[in-house]
Amino acid sequence: MNPAPRPARRGSGREAGHDAHWRVLLVIGGFALAGVVLSGVAGGRGFGPGVSAPPPQATAIVLTAQDPIIFTGVGSQTTDPFYLAGGTYRSEWSAWGEAPEFPPCTHSIELMAVDPVNGETSLGHVSDLANLVHVPATGASKSSYVYNVKPGGYYLDVSSACGWQIALSST
């Protein structure tokens, strides 16, 4: 007859204490996760589309006069819309090529109004911040001002073969 199997031997007391420590942390973490999930359900957000709470709304962030609006990118693109409170704005842009051995890249930036009523043209054009500038691979930059900006939503239309950064700040 074979003797009864023995339970697996546990390590030293130190290893058992270490295992108990991790079990306690896992239990606490489980309770914390359950609390977060339950608070979301109790808060009316629920898990599915059948919940009758209104969808969350986007919140506009209004920047103060000291906070510049900064965009960076490579190549041509249109930025996300942003809010300008109106008045005079300083535009500062920088652009650069891929490597010193590359030829100059062409760079243009237009400030456009989301609502064409705030623009200078029927398409919403407000101002050219850069117009077909030939930027050497080592880079270029320029500052300018945009006057009499009306309060509202705006975006930048960038046509560029360069890497670039643009900052708009209220004066």
Side-chain angles (χ1 to χ4, degrees):
M1 252 193 172
N2 291 340
R6 290 189 189 179
R9 235 179 127 182
R10 295 205 65 112
S12 67
R14 182 174 178 220
E15 289 174 1
H18 183 71
D19 289 345
H21 173 76
W22 283 107
R23 284 188 192 121
V24 168
L25 288 176
L26 286 173
V27 169
I28 291 171
F31 280 119
L33 179 61
V36 169
V37 169
L38 290 175
S39 67
V41 171
R45 296 182 192 260
F47 291 110
V51 177
S52 62
Q57 298 294 315
T59 304
I61 298 174
V62 179
L63 303 172
T64 64
Q66 291 86 24
D67 294 334
I69 299 167
I70 300 172
F71 291 100
T72 59
V74 176
S76 297
Q77 56 186 284
T78 300
T79 67
D80 289 334
F82 52 90
Y83 179 80
L84 296 178
T88 301
Y89 285 83
R90 179 184 170 122
S91 160
E92 296 180 65
W93 63 261
S94 298
W96 53 92
E98 292 182 44
E101 64 272 7
F102 283 60
C105 53
T106 304
H107 186 65
S108 296
I109 311 164
E110 280 185 89
L111 177 63
M112 302 291 290
V114 172
D115 182 355
V117 172
N118 289 341
E120 300 294 321
T121 69
S122 62
L123 297 175
H125 173 81
V126 177
S127 179
D128 286 322
L129 306 179
N131 191 14
L132 297 174
V133 178
H134 294 286
V135 177
T138 54
S141 60
K142 184 177 180 186
S143 296
S144 61
Y145 290 90
V146 182
Y147 300 99
N148 301 318
V149 174
K150 298 173 186 169
Y154 293 85
Y155 64 94
L156 298 172
D157 187 12
V158 181
S159 298
S160 182
C162 310
W164 49 266
Q165 176 173 312
I166 304 160
L168 288 171
S169 54
S170 179
T171 58

